[in-house]
Amino acid sequence: QKEVEQNSGPLSVPEGAIASLNCTYSDRVSQSFFWYRQYSGKSPELIMSIYSNGDKEDGRFTAQLNKASQYVSLLIRDSQPSDSATYLCAVSFTGGGNKLTFGTGTQLKVEL
Amino acid sequence: DGGITQSPKYLFRKEGQNVTLSCEQNLNHDAMYWYRQDPGQGLRLIYYSQIVNDFQKGDIAEGYSVSREKKESFPLTVTSAQKNPTAFYLCASSWEAGVAEQYFGPGTRLTVT
């Protein structure tokens, strides 16, 4: 069973700080990695995708992938109260077609 | 505007009744997916379709059925055989079979009493 693990939180950070969200996965041979943001009562919104080892930056967001250690992380710089949401990690495993396996999400709270 | 629509937003049904959830997309995406989300849990895949007139079971297909007669539409029927149907149902789509990035519709919250 392919698995994706996240700490459920809540992770609390002060406004302006860097929020660091982590995700580990069970299969060393995996293809694609995604971070979704989900506000309470709403559907997930894709914010980052990463396919190769290293860092990928998009505005205040940076995704980091380390396939050897089987983890992917999301950094949010200059955190804002509007970043308060649940962040879902999703992995497309090799041989799994285009199916995504989701973690249970980490709740982020950005405090004033 | 391009996007994925789901209707209705809220749906209430009595136990024992079948109910069909609508999902339509005008993004010209080949692949479509149905997930359910329960409180405190991640998304679980119910069914997916990579091409018209073809679909595959996901991890929790029992008690559900789908059809894919048109590229734009992928309705989900929750049958009376589904033991715990109350959940948040999410439809997603992706460009083509080889692309994993999925985009979600707004969801349908189903309550069965």
Side-chain angles (χ1 to χ4, degrees), chain A residues 23-106:
Chain A
C23 171
T24 59
Y25 55 94
S26 62
D27 191 344
R28 185 178 296 273
V29 183
S30 48
Q31 293 179 313
S32 312
F33 306 84
F34 306 91
W35 283 100
Y36 287 84
R37 178 176 62 199
Q38 186 175 25
Y39 293 113
S40 180
K42 302 296 186 182
S43 63
E45 173 192 7
L46 178 66
I47 54 172
M48 288 288 286
S49 57
I50 186 165
Y51 301 94
S52 56
N53 280 329
D55 294 0
K56 179 181 177 182
E57 186 174 319
D58 184 1
R60 294 187 297 113
F61 299 101
T62 298
Q64 299 175 318
L65 175 60
N66 184 325
K67 288 189 176 184
S69 300
Q70 295 173 225
Y71 82 80
V72 55
S73 62
L74 179 70
L75 302 178
I76 306 175
R77 290 182 299 282
D78 188 23
S79 295
Q80 301 297 310
S82 59
D83 294 326
S84 298
T86 296
Y87 289 81
L88 302 173
C89 173
V91 179
S92 171
F93 290 105
T94 302
N98 296 309
K99 295 184 292 182
L100 293 181
T101 300
F102 285 83
T104 55
T106 297

Side-chain angles (χ1 to χ4, degrees), chain B residues 7 14 26 54 68 77 112:
Chain B
S7 60
K14 294 290 187 184
N26 61 3
D54 188 44
R68 186 88 187 275
T77 296
V112 177

